[in-house]
Structure formats: structure tokens, C-alpha cells
Amino acid sequence: MASIVVGYVPGAEGAAALAQARRVAELFQDELAVVNVRTTGRGLGHGHAHGEDAADDLNSIAAELESAGLSFEIIHPEGDYDPADEILAVASRLGARLIVVGLRHRTPVGKLFLGSTAQRILLEASCPVLAVKAGQALRD
């Protein structure tokens, strides 16, 4: 079974990416791999949910995917990690059909100092990448 890999962070861009990844997984009847790259406290991961809020968010996602009958796994990188490396590694390990990432607006200075997870994934992925803006969706 092929896989759709989604880089998930709590927030609008993560929700948009997850919604589109779910849609594609349902269309192709693929497994969905949700790579949770939220803040670890020390790692390079990013996002806004911490502790119980993050667990509640992911439990809610798991319950929703389970009730939809989707085959899925939620992957939690540990320790110090780079989100792009984790997403690319999961995609490689699973032989992903597609990677889905959410985009957020960043200033030119922010891009210069922080790099761009989405840009690295777009350039380095060995499969197609779907970049989704928060608030936008594919139309039927």
C-alpha cells in the first residue's frame, strides 16, 4: 500500500495540510502518515501546542481518522531534530506517493535566518510534494 506523508504542526497551516493529505489518501485508498513536527521544547521542530494541548489535538486527529476508516500512523520525532529531515526520512522509508506540507507566510529576513522546511522538502523529496496554504483547499 502506498502512503501519503503529511508534515503536521498545530495551527491553520497544519490543519490545511492534514485536510488535503486526508483527501488524497481517501482518493487513492492509501495509508496516511502524519509526521507531528510540533515544538519539542529543545528540538528544531516548530508549532504552538505543548503538553496536554498537543496530546488532545493529536488524539482528536487520530479519532477522526479512525472513524473515517483510514489506515494511518502518527509519527512523533524525538529529541533534537529538523522537521524537513524527519518528513523526508518518513517519506523515503514508506516509499511515499506524495508529501503534503502546509505553508505559512514568512518575511524575507525570517527565511534567511531560519531556512525553510517547505523549501527543503520541495527541493529534496524523491516524490511529488503538495504545498497547501492555510484557508485554501482543492476544489472538486
Side-chain angles (χ1 to χ4, degrees), residues 25-109:
E26 289 171 340
L27 177 68
F28 289 105
Q29 297 181 341
D30 287 344
E31 178 179 67
L32 181 60
V34 180
V35 184
N36 174 35
V37 290
R38 66 170 172 74
T39 300
T40 62
R42 324 176 329 178
L44 297 172
H46 52 80
H48 303 292
H50 298 279
E52 288 183 28
D53 290 341
D56 290 346
D57 185 40
L58 292 169
N59 288 337
S60 174
I61 289 167
E64 184 179 317
L65 296 174
E66 199 168 288
S67 71
L70 275 171
S71 175
F72 70 95
E73 68 175 308
I74 297 178
I75 299 159
H76 304 278
E78 294 185 12
D80 291 333
Y81 65 88
D82 178 85
D85 287 341
E86 294 297 326
I87 292 166
L88 291 166
V90 169
S92 177
R93 177 175 58 84
L94 297 176
R97 175 192 306 266
L98 177 72
I99 298 172
V100 182
V101 294
L103 299 179
R104 61 188 169 118
H105 178 74
R106 296 184 34 184
T107 66
V109 173

Side-chain angles (χ1 to χ4, degrees), residues 107-131:
T107 66
V109 173
K111 290 176 192 171
L112 176 68
F113 288 116
L114 300 175
S116 171
T117 298
Q119 181 178 359
R120 279 207 42 227
I121 293 168
L122 285 164
L123 294 173
E124 297 178 23
S126 59
C127 65
V129 178
L130 174 61

